[in-house]
Amino acid sequence: MRIAILAHEKFPDGAKTATGVLRYGTHDVVAVLDRDRDGERVADCDASLPDAPIVASLSELNEPLDALLIGISPIGGGFDESWRPDVRAALERGCDVISGLHYFLEDDSEFRTLAEEHGCELWDVRRPPTDLGVADGVADSVDATVIATVGTDCSVGKMTTTFELVAAARERGVDAAVVPTGQTGIMAEGWGYPIDRVVSDFAAGAVEELILERGNDHDYLFVEGQASIAHPAYSGVSTAILHGSMADELVLCHATDRERFHGFSQALPTISDFVALHESLAAPVGGSEVVAGALNTRTVDDDAAADAAVEEYADALGLPAADPIRQGPDAILDAVL
Amino acid sequence: MRIAILAHEKFPDGAKTATGVLRYGTHDVVAVLDRDRDGERVADCDASLPDAPIVASLSELNEPLDALLIGISPIGGGFDESWRPDVRAALERGCDVISGLHYFLEDDSEFRTLAEEHGCELWDVRRPPTDLGVADGVADSVDATVIATVGTDCSVGKMTTTFELVAAARERGVDAAVVPTGQTGIMAEGWGYPIDRVVSDFAAGAVEELILERGNDHDYLFVEGQASIAHPAYSGVSTAILHGSMADELVLCHATDRERFHGFSQALPTISDFVALHESLAAPVGGSEVVAGALNTRTVDDDAAADAAVEEYADALGLPAADPIRQGPDAILDAVL
């Protein structure tokens, strides 16, 4: 699928979805739209990303295109009216539009009308289906070994760790797949449910449905975690994923800069408390075991200091650990497989 | 408010909402509708309930009426078409209709039209408001001491314990109030959010909003818990209530007949594991402590055997316990206040 990714004024650092889809998606990215970087290239901004041109607007693109993907999500998840000409232009040339905004494109009458006229689809990734049900507590019935990434907080690298582990497993010839539970993962895989948007009664059921759908097709499923079971606001989402997935193994993701939950006054528990809490909460349902750790060392400039931070984290866990980006995910994967 | 309660073919044992509203609501119940018990009285069916006549249909009621309340909820939460004449008759005489069904009366075009014509309201209790937000982790900022009922499973008596404790506290002259989180409690109090129906990202935020709204008006708030933090399907709801309420104290509710989660293959953890799990999960956010237990001994016929079961439960907890219905809630209340 040939796509363009909208990331106006935010690429790359403020465009987590755009960089996630570039890095982990299976799409052919024709261009990134960022009016502040017109004429630059993706690789100039971040050499670790697959390269693509950056243009100021969709109307500058002449290549055939299947879809426009909204690759940024402002605080609040609103639609920025300055993006309207790009979305309009995409629909007018028959492209689908994929969005993870809280603002649903399907509820926008201009976009809905254009989509109908031009026979294209509006996919609001954050709108879960309406036919989800309650979990039956049977996700452990699948053949695959199920591994879930869990976290000490939001934005510590659960999605990145999940995708890096699957890529590394595949490189080793292992049949592994991602179970996406958040918008960027869903956009990258073209599949999954945004568990944080599911009615809380059905959140575990939605995860279970994903596991049952793919769990006999692969040897390993890597479930993308969300937030943290100790988070003041989102712990219900994390608990639903833990119990809904009935994961066999957990990888505890953490970041070097994190002493309090981001945006909250509450301090993070210790790493050993996190391990104990996950295992005791999982015990009645899935019986998951923490087998490794992933440490996001982005805030550490010096490689030696980052290595030391990872070593300290592994000691606190009593388990193998790595920064899956800086050091690669092999140490984690060895513990998982 | 003068209400009639619809409970066709299910009163009293299959009509949990009807009996809950009769027992704990502040309404004046004019009649119960149950076509199978036409001419009987509520007190004949259950002597512990406030008395009211039972009639076969709303059209037989001549007394003035403010609202019809749907007091039964079939599996799946659908609307039974045999109830339509009663709902229609209520709206035609200008009565509001209150429902906790999954099927929303507001989405029924006949009911919506009748409600508009006759100037009455359809209150779908299970439809949460659309403007809920994320928790800020600040529910502990209120003046009130916050007590939450938590459970080993669904249907072990969390709502009953909550209401019995508040009634007993008020009898002692203590300024206490219920924070309802489920449909029956909301119907009884005329206030609250159905947390199991809230989008999972906002579930803790909805609880926090309730606490902040009333937490400076009372000395004690008793939060109605839902399900169990160890439940295979609903643990996300329970965790959101635990963390959203930041309760100071917890009362662990359990039932004598329960060895596995009802309808699931998973065994319940031990009582001491439940205490440890609640306290370790609460520690990072609210720091709640389990202070007492409530045991539902309904399945035990003999009073002496029930007393022994409560004593055994108290021993397992290492805390005071009681069956709040059979023995009264005083032992629990003494531990809470």
Side-chain angles (χ1 to χ4, degrees):
Chain A
M1 186 157 98
R2 296 171 60 90
I3 67 168
I5 303 179
L6 185 151
H8 284 308
E9 301 170 18
K10 299 287 181 196
F11 193 80
D13 291 339
K16 189 178 156 186
T17 299
T19 54
V21 171
L22 274 160
R23 203 182 297 279
Y24 301 119
T26 51
H27 321 80
D28 178 7
V29 179
V30 173
V32 167
L33 313 188
D34 185 343
R35 62 175 80 92
D36 284 355
R37 292 184 181 272
D38 188 17
E40 297 184 40
R41 296 195 65 89
V42 167
D44 299 336
C45 303
D46 182 339
S48 73
L49 291 172
D51 199 20
I54 303 181
V55 299
S57 72
L58 196 92
S59 56
E60 291 174 36
L61 277 182
N62 297 316
E63 292 89 338
L65 200 64
D66 299 308
L68 173 66
L69 186 148
I70 311 286
I72 42 184
S73 185
I75 292 170
F79 182 81
D80 189 312
E81 283 300 322
S82 76
W83 309 338
R84 188 169 290 272
D86 290 315
V87 174
R88 192 186 287 137
L91 294 170
E92 283 170 348
R93 59 194 270 189
C95 291
D96 298 339
V97 182
I98 305 165
S99 163
L101 299 173
H102 283 165
Y103 178 88
F104 295 136
L105 302 184
E106 270 204 333
D107 295 342
D108 185 294
S109 60
E110 181 187 10
F111 296 153
R112 206 177 46 240
T113 306
L114 282 172
E116 280 164 16
E117 280 174 19
H118 296 274
C120 33
E121 277 189 42
L122 300 170
W123 184 24
D124 287 303
V125 167
R126 286 180 79 90
R127 177 174 267 175
T130 53
D131 59 349
L132 294 170
V134 162
D136 290 319
V138 298
D140 62 346
S141 65
V142 300
D143 294 337
T145 299
V146 176
I147 301 105
T149 53
V150 293
T152 59
D153 195 3
C154 299
S155 301
V156 293
K158 290 176 286 289
M159 184 198 76
T160 298
T161 301
T162 306
F163 277 91
E164 293 291 339
L165 285 171
V166 168
R170 287 175 177 166
E171 268 175 38
R172 294 190 193 182
V174 172
D175 180 5
V178 174
V179 177
T181 61
Q183 57 167 324
T184 304
I186 296 169
M187 286 176 166
E189 290 285 310
W191 175 77
Y193 293 135
I195 301 303
D196 59 352
R197 305 299 301 172
V198 172
V199 163
S200 56
D201 240 7
F202 305 141
V207 176
E208 183 182 81
E209 186 184 319
L210 296 174
I211 302 280
L212 296 179
E213 191 172 328
R214 298 282 168 100
N216 295 324
D217 301 341
H218 302 281
D219 294 330
Y220 291 88
L221 288 186
F222 287 78
V223 181
E224 178 199 3
Q226 297 292 333
S228 171
I229 58 170
H231 193 280
Y234 307 124
S235 56
V237 181
S238 315
T239 303
I241 296 174
L242 182 68
H243 285 161
S245 71
M246 300 181 76
D248 301 293
E249 300 176 346
L250 306 176
V251 175
L252 181 64
C253 303
H254 182 49
T256 39
D257 58 338
R258 221 56 70 87
E259 290 178 1
R260 298 184 176 278
F261 293 101
H262 182 72
F264 291 78
S265 66
Q266 281 84 0
L268 295 193
T270 65
I271 296 305
S272 59
D273 280 352
F274 264 118
V275 172
L277 186 57
H278 277 92
E279 294 184 350
S280 57
L281 185 59
V285 183
S288 318
E289 192 186 351
V290 179
V291 299
L295 186 69
N296 179 339
T297 64
R298 196 176 37 189
T299 59
V300 181
D301 288 335
D302 176 55
D303 279 352
D307 290 350
V310 169
E311 209 165 305
E312 196 186 325
Y313 183 55
D315 284 349
L317 285 165
L319 293 167
D323 182 329
I325 295 296
R326 196 162 202 155
Q327 304 173 319
D330 279 329
I332 306 169
L333 195 61
D334 289 342
V336 162
L337 296 184
Chain B
M1 188 156 98
R2 297 171 60 88
I3 67 169
I5 303 179
L6 185 151
H8 283 309
E9 301 170 16
K10 299 286 182 197
F11 193 80
D13 292 339
K16 189 178 158 187
T17 298
T19 55
V21 171
L22 274 161
R23 202 183 299 279
Y24 301 119
T26 52
H27 320 82
D28 178 6
V29 180
V30 173
V32 167
L33 313 187
D34 185 343
R35 62 175 80 92
D36 284 356
R37 291 183 180 272
D38 188 17
E40 296 184 39
R41 296 196 63 90
V42 167
D44 300 336
C45 303
D46 182 339
S48 74
L49 292 171
D51 198 21
I54 304 181
V55 299
S57 72
L58 197 93
S59 54
E60 292 173 36
L61 277 181
N62 297 316
E63 292 89 337
L65 201 64
D66 299 310
L68 172 67
L69 187 148
I70 311 286
I72 41 182
S73 185
I75 293 168
F79 181 82
D80 188 313
E81 282 301 321
S82 77
W83 309 339
R84 188 170 289 273
D86 291 314
V87 174
R88 192 186 287 136
L91 294 169
E92 283 171 348
R93 58 193 270 188
C95 292
D96 299 340
V97 182
I98 306 167
S99 163
L101 299 173
H102 283 165
Y103 178 88
F104 294 136
L105 302 184
E106 271 204 332
D107 296 342
D108 184 295
S109 60
E110 181 187 11
F111 296 153
R112 206 177 47 241
T113 304
L114 281 172
E116 280 164 16
E117 279 174 20
H118 297 274
C120 33
E121 278 190 39
L122 300 170
W123 184 24
D124 287 303
V125 167
R126 287 181 78 91
R127 176 175 268 173
T130 54
D131 59 350
L132 294 170
V134 162
D136 290 320
V138 297
D140 61 346
S141 65
V142 300
D143 295 337
T145 299
V146 176
I147 300 104
T149 52
V150 293
T152 58
D153 195 4
C154 300
S155 302
V156 293
K158 290 176 287 288
M159 185 198 75
T160 298
T161 301
T162 305
F163 277 91
E164 294 291 338
L165 285 170
V166 167
R170 287 176 177 164
E171 267 176 38
R172 293 190 192 182
V174 171
D175 180 7
V178 174
V179 177
T181 60
Q183 56 166 323
T184 304
I186 296 169
M187 286 177 168
E189 290 285 309
W191 175 76
Y193 293 137
I195 302 303
D196 59 351
R197 304 301 300 174
V198 172
V199 163
S200 57
D201 239 7
F202 304 141
V207 177
E208 182 181 82
E209 187 184 316
L210 296 174
I211 303 280
L212 296 178
E213 191 172 328
R214 299 281 169 100
N216 295 325
D217 300 342
H218 301 280
D219 294 331
Y220 292 88
L221 289 186
F222 287 79
V223 182
E224 177 199 2
Q226 296 293 334
S228 171
I229 59 171
H231 193 280
Y234 307 123
S235 57
V237 180
S238 315
T239 304
I241 295 174
L242 182 70
H243 286 160
S245 72
M246 300 180 74
D248 301 293
E249 300 176 346
L250 306 176
V251 175
L252 182 63
C253 304
H254 182 50
T256 39
D257 57 338
R258 221 55 70 86
E259 290 177 3
R260 300 184 175 276
F261 294 101
H262 181 71
F264 291 79
S265 67
Q266 281 85 1
L268 296 193
T270 65
I271 296 305
S272 60
D273 280 352
F274 263 117
V275 172
L277 186 57
H278 277 93
E279 294 186 349
S280 59
L281 185 59
V285 183
S288 319
E289 194 186 349
V290 180
V291 299
L295 187 69
N296 179 339
T297 63
R298 196 176 37 190
T299 58
V300 181
D301 287 334
D302 176 55
D303 279 352
D307 290 350
V310 169
E311 208 165 306
E312 195 186 327
Y313 183 54
D315 284 349
L317 285 165
L319 293 168
D323 182 328
I325 294 297
R326 196 162 203 153
Q327 304 174 317
D330 279 329
I332 306 169
L333 195 61
D334 289 342
V336 163
L337 296 184

